[in-house]
Amino acid sequence: MGFDFSLVIPRMGMFIAGAMVTIEASMLSIFFGAVLGIIVGILRVAPLKPVKMAAACYIYVIRGTPALIQLFFIYFGLPALGINLSAMASGVIGLSLNSAGYVGEIVRGGIEAVSRGQWEAGKVLGMSYLKSMRFVILPQALRNMLPAFGNEFVTLVKESSLLSTLAITELTQVGQQVRSVTYASFETFIIVGAMYLVMTTIATMGLRYVEKKWSVA
Amino acid sequence: MKRIYAKGKSILDEGVNCGKTSGLPKIISIKGLRKSFDGNEVLKGIDLEIDEGEVVSVIGPSGSGKSTLARCMCRLEKIDGGTVTLSGVEITSGVHDNGDIARLVGMIFQQFNLYPHLTVLRNITLSPVHVLGIPPGEAREQARELLAQVGLEDKADARPGQLSGGQQQRVAIARALAMKPRIMLFDEPTSALDPELVGEVLEVMARLARSGMTMMVITHEMGFAREVSDRVVFMDDGNIVESSAPAELLANPSQARTRQFLQRLLAGPGKAGSGVSAYGF
């Protein structure tokens, strides 16, 4: 049984273009997911019950439903309400909302891991809840959270392959296209898999670096 | 910031007026203070008055309510009954924000509670800048002065984790003083320290006492209680049992419970012995 990469190699440009789309979608989703997730996490520990409950519900729904269904809901479902989004917009919004649920839970854990004494110090030094959160608690919480954040980012890069179901020509979709033309399934998905591995490795290494730089405290 | 600052000033005025009208300015006035945790009454109606510039040591067995008393006096605990009035301001009335309270009273914790992610200098300037609205440059200058006062001018750029416990506690004292409070509370400030580091912290506290600061110090350091404080309060089981001049209370307690506590303290091997010797007056 011989493998023949000769049909696949000439299409390397397509793979790279697909990888770029994957990177773009992942980075956007990581960014918006992190921002939204930090907000969700802060609300999740807010001293107001309704706010806390709302954030908890959000996390509950996001974590309890498949990401694929969330994407389908946004891309295929929302037009029924008159909201028409492009495939890429749907994809990025879907992945961001999904990631925010997980990041929110990470943020909650990180905030709760900061000792009560830090809140007390902020309070007796005159800071309001929000000021303590901003200057004292959150900076420490974010440091605690970095390893878990890293995992979530890597997960998101991999989950972006779901975007292929919205006909976005990211890496997985390119793989499907190349396979259907060349019938070299094994070779194609070896390359696709290797490219994901490279991306997740770089992401992991980058986060390690940041972690080291921040951990001086 | 402006608004808060103006509010702070009005509080100080309020305080001065109160002193004048009563004729006897009590900077700390606690009446009928009650506090329970889960139905367990920890403070059973505390009455305590402290004069401006007075240094009061609070002693007593663990679980007697000493820490809770201090925590109620800076609003770290919600009280269940009674009033706490500091410099004429009833802090338990619920109308004052944290910034108002921080201008009145500073608190030193057993565990220091410095911000580990910030340099020593930023630890000290954070609240002056973001609560009092002092310009950062001015706040830094003031912080350096305070650091010099506690003998740590060379540690401005260090992180708390790089300092010894004694140094951390001295930074915590400088940080509290940066808010220019009128009262300082110390909740077992040396209990978490190695014995050889206790002296440097007590020395800073003694200097602060001599400068005229009103202080309430919860302590097991009998040397400090005897030599530095103007008055010693003995607490047991949520009540103030006895309150008098240190020489009197420590040598000739009028209550049996106080006698018992002191005897046990002196007989015990650990804390009492190290406490007296570490201070070395």
Side-chain angles (χ1 to χ4, degrees):
Chain A
M1 204 160 66
F3 297 116
D4 183 6
F5 281 87
S6 66
L7 286 170
V8 179
I9 296 292
R11 293 178 167 82
M12 221 44 213
M14 282 176 72
F15 285 112
I16 289 170
M20 295 313 276
V21 175
T22 291
I23 290 169
E24 187 194 347
S26 301
M27 301 256 271
L28 285 171
S29 306
I30 285 165
F31 176 75
F32 290 118
V35 171
L36 195 61
I38 289 171
I39 294 169
V40 170
I42 290 171
L43 298 181
R44 181 70 186 77
V45 297
L48 287 170
K49 204 140 198 207
V51 175
K52 209 190 255 185
M53 293 300 288
C57 279
Y58 180 80
I59 293 171
Y60 171 71
V61 170
I62 290 291
R63 298 212 307 175
T65 55
L68 186 60
I69 301 305
Q70 293 162 17
L71 285 173
F72 282 178
F73 177 76
I74 290 168
Y75 187 57
F76 300 116
L78 286 187
L81 304 176
I83 302 170
N84 287 292
L85 297 164
S86 72
M88 189 63 174
S90 300
V92 169
I93 290 171
L95 288 181
S96 301
L97 292 176
N98 179 267
S99 185
Y102 291 89
V103 172
E105 201 57 9
I106 295 170
V107 171
R108 180 185 72 94
I111 289 171
E112 285 176 352
V114 177
S115 79
R116 206 175 54 141
Q118 294 291 305
W119 281 109
E120 293 184 347
K123 183 172 182 182
V124 297
L125 287 158
M127 280 189 274
S128 62
Y129 178 85
L130 286 177
K131 277 183 186 160
S132 292
M133 181 62 102
R134 178 175 154 207
F135 295 116
V136 177
I137 306 301
L138 208 53
Q140 295 183 56
L142 288 173
R143 277 179 179 78
N144 297 344
M145 279 154 18
L146 224 48
F149 252 144
N151 286 341
E152 172 55 22
F153 291 173
V154 168
T155 302
L156 210 143
V157 170
K158 292 184 290 177
E159 288 211 327
S160 71
S161 67
L162 293 173
L163 299 185
S164 62
T165 60
L166 306 188
I168 294 170
T169 47
E170 45 66 74
L171 186 54
T172 303
Q173 174 74 4
V174 168
Q176 303 266 30
Q177 289 171 357
V178 171
R179 184 195 58 87
S180 67
V181 178
T182 63
Y183 296 103
S185 304
F186 185 90
E187 295 84 344
T188 300
F189 288 115
I190 281 275
I191 288 178
V192 168
M195 290 181 86
Y196 275 114
L197 200 56
V198 169
M199 288 190 281
T200 53
T201 304
I202 291 171
T204 307
M205 277 165 41
L207 277 148
R208 286 258 168 77
Y209 175 76
V210 176
E211 228 172 278
K212 239 186 223 150
K213 246 187 111 176
W214 271 23
S215 65
V216 192
Chain B
M1 281 309 156
K2 280 252 165 64
R3 187 190 64 78
I4 295 171
Y5 201 36
K7 212 168 168 186
K9 269 191 174 162
S10 74
I11 279 180
L12 297 188
D13 298 341
E14 208 180 310
V16 172
N17 289 339
C18 170
K20 271 180 192 156
T21 45
S22 74
L24 273 171
K26 295 288 183 192
I27 193 166
I28 298 176
S29 171
I30 298 169
K31 292 202 170 78
L33 175 58
R34 289 178 182 282
K35 172 69 187 173
S36 302
F37 293 107
D38 303 322
N40 181 21
E41 197 163 43
V42 179
L43 296 178
K44 301 175 176 173
I46 298 286
D47 294 304
L48 178 64
E49 295 206 315
I50 295 177
D51 284 318
E52 181 137 27
E54 198 180 3
V55 178
V56 174
S57 289
V58 180
I59 62 171
S62 55
S64 58
K66 320 181 289 287
S67 279
T68 307
L69 173 62
R71 292 169 61 83
C72 288
M73 290 168 68
C74 56
R75 283 208 321 202
L76 283 176
E77 304 290 350
K78 276 207 180 93
I79 68 170
D80 298 325
T83 55
V84 176
T85 308
L86 304 180
S87 190
V89 179
E90 195 188 323
I91 64 163
T92 43
S93 64
V95 301
H96 306 289
D97 66 26
N98 293 346
D100 297 335
I101 305 304
R103 284 184 190 82
L104 289 173
V105 57
M107 171 81 159
I108 298 300
F109 299 94
Q110 189 177 342
Q111 298 297 337
F112 331 131
N113 292 345
L114 293 179
Y115 309 133
H117 60 300
L118 300 178
T119 62
V120 163
L121 199 71
R122 285 267 289 147
N123 260 276
I124 299 173
T125 59
L126 190 66
S127 279
V129 170
H130 293 288
V131 176
L132 302 182
I134 295 174
E138 203 177 304
R140 277 195 295 272
E141 206 172 298
Q142 183 203 319
R144 287 188 194 282
E145 271 166 39
L146 285 166
L147 277 177
Q149 282 174 34
V150 298
L152 292 171
E153 56 270 64
D154 54 330
K155 299 292 185 192
D157 300 316
R159 303 267 177 166
Q162 298 166 320
L163 304 181
S164 73
Q167 291 172 328
Q168 288 192 52
Q169 195 61 297
R170 287 187 280 154
V171 171
I173 292 170
R175 180 175 72 168
L177 291 175
M179 296 300 283
K180 300 198 167 76
R182 311 192 58 184
I183 300 160
M184 285 282 283
L185 306 175
F186 296 79
D187 186 5
E188 302 202 19
T190 59
S191 296
L193 298 177
D194 291 337
E196 74 269 23
L197 301 177
V198 168
E200 64 189 52
V201 172
L202 293 182
E203 207 179 291
V204 166
M205 290 167 58
R207 276 221 307 278
L208 189 60
R210 281 196 295 275
S211 79
M213 176 65 78
T214 307
M215 292 164 61
M216 189 178 103
V217 184
I218 293 161
T219 188
H220 294 290
E221 300 292 339
M222 292 304 141
F224 181 88
R226 186 183 305 115
E227 303 295 334
V228 180
S229 44
D230 302 307
R231 182 153 55 112
V232 178
V233 168
F234 173 66
M235 276 183 77
D236 190 24
D237 195 27
N239 293 300
I240 289 179
V241 177
E242 193 167 349
S243 164
S244 52
E248 203 174 316
L249 189 139
L250 296 176
N252 270 319
S254 65
Q255 301 294 317
R257 263 143 87 197
T258 317
R259 248 192 319 275
Q260 253 172 26
F261 171 76
L262 291 172
Q263 265 162 14
R264 219 171 294 149
L265 201 62
L266 293 173
K271 271 185 167 153
S274 71
V276 175
S277 61
Y279 197 39
F281 269 107

